[in-house]
Amino acid sequence: MANARVIGVRSVELGVRDLNQSATFYKDVWGLDEVAAEGNALYLRGTGRDHHLLALREQGKASLLTVDFAAADRETVDQLHAKTKGYGVTVFGDPAPRTATEGGGYGFKFHTPDGLPIRISCEIGEHQDTVIDRSRPTKISHVVLNSAKTDDQIRFFVDVLGFKLTDSTHLMEFLRCSSDHHSMAVFRNNGPSLNHIAYEVPDIDGLMRGSGRLKRSGFNVEWGIGRHGPGNNVFSYFIEPNGFVTEYTTEVEQIDDADHIYGDAKFWDRLPQKPDRWGMAGLPSNRMQLAMSGSLYQADVAPDNERCEDIIGRKLG
Ligand SMILES: [Fe+2]
């Protein structure tokens, strides 16, 4: 049981104000395809095998409803359920079968020590076909959460869910559960809230083409295009219609446990350009900083709303 751990991030479920508006963005602009719909919820897949990468649920308010992690099998799900319960966080019932609309499988839901919703599942259905289009997302790359109690979150993700700490900076802790440099990161910030969701695209050319599609649709690159320090990944960040931050990323560093050396904040301080190695992107705009802090979606303010500028004024200045 000590070795029970999650092995990847699979999908995210978001509460949205207007399902049609959000579906139009994620299908026509972001590049996902509808795979299932039920009631006020819509499930969208990427070009890879995962049943869905994103579930949208209309509920009148933007919110993070679940981050879905994968486990290898039912035995591991049961073991992680026992460990999570034993740790004392809020756990919602026993592991149970998931609906066909969700892709089936078996899992359970709980809250992080900060109170953010997570689900761990196994045996979720996979598509047999994949789509070849490098401008569209293949999978969820990583999810970043904001926390005012970072150390508590890291302890939980490492000790209970089996993540490994890959790198740390003064701002962020990067956690891996597969060969990807990070599937999860915790940002030292106000919290708890969602900082951003990153979707992997196959290569830099695809990232540029996808970013161009966003730009032509009226969504400017809010931070990027650049290459990060920790993770070495190329990034292009946008603010979607609910105020969530969404990222295309590619070339994420692959980690081999046998020879990886953890870099602490002091190590990364030696690389002054660490968030933006190419020096092209600069710092995130005020709008992007506000969105990454969770303030836009939590305030129910669409990014094109003039109230956005008001909030920026009050928060930053
Ligand atoms: Fe990211």
Side-chain angles (χ1 to χ4, degrees), residues 141-144 172 174 182 185 195-199 223 228 233 235 237 247-249 292:
S141 170
H142 56 267
V143 174
V144 179
M172 289 177 76
F174 297 87
H182 56 288
N195 184 292
H196 70 269
I197 302 165
Y199 298 73
W223 189 28
H228 283 313
N233 47 316
F235 61 88
Y237 288 90
E247 175 192 0
Y248 284 143
T249 194
M292 284 182 147

Side-chain angles (χ1 to χ4, degrees), residues 33-80:
D33 283 328
E34 183 173 334
V35 64
E38 189 173 64
N40 57 353
L42 192 65
Y43 295 80
L44 301 164
R45 67 170 287 191
T47 57
R49 294 194 185 279
D50 287 327
H51 176 268
H52 64 276
L53 307 186
L54 180 65
L56 300 170
R57 188 172 295 277
E58 184 171 277
Q59 51 163 31
K61 183 171 167 40
S63 66
L64 173 65
L65 293 178
T66 317
V67 181
D68 261 275
F69 290 106
D73 49 35
R74 287 182 179 230
E75 190 185 353
T76 310
V77 169
D78 290 342
Q79 289 174 346
L80 288 170

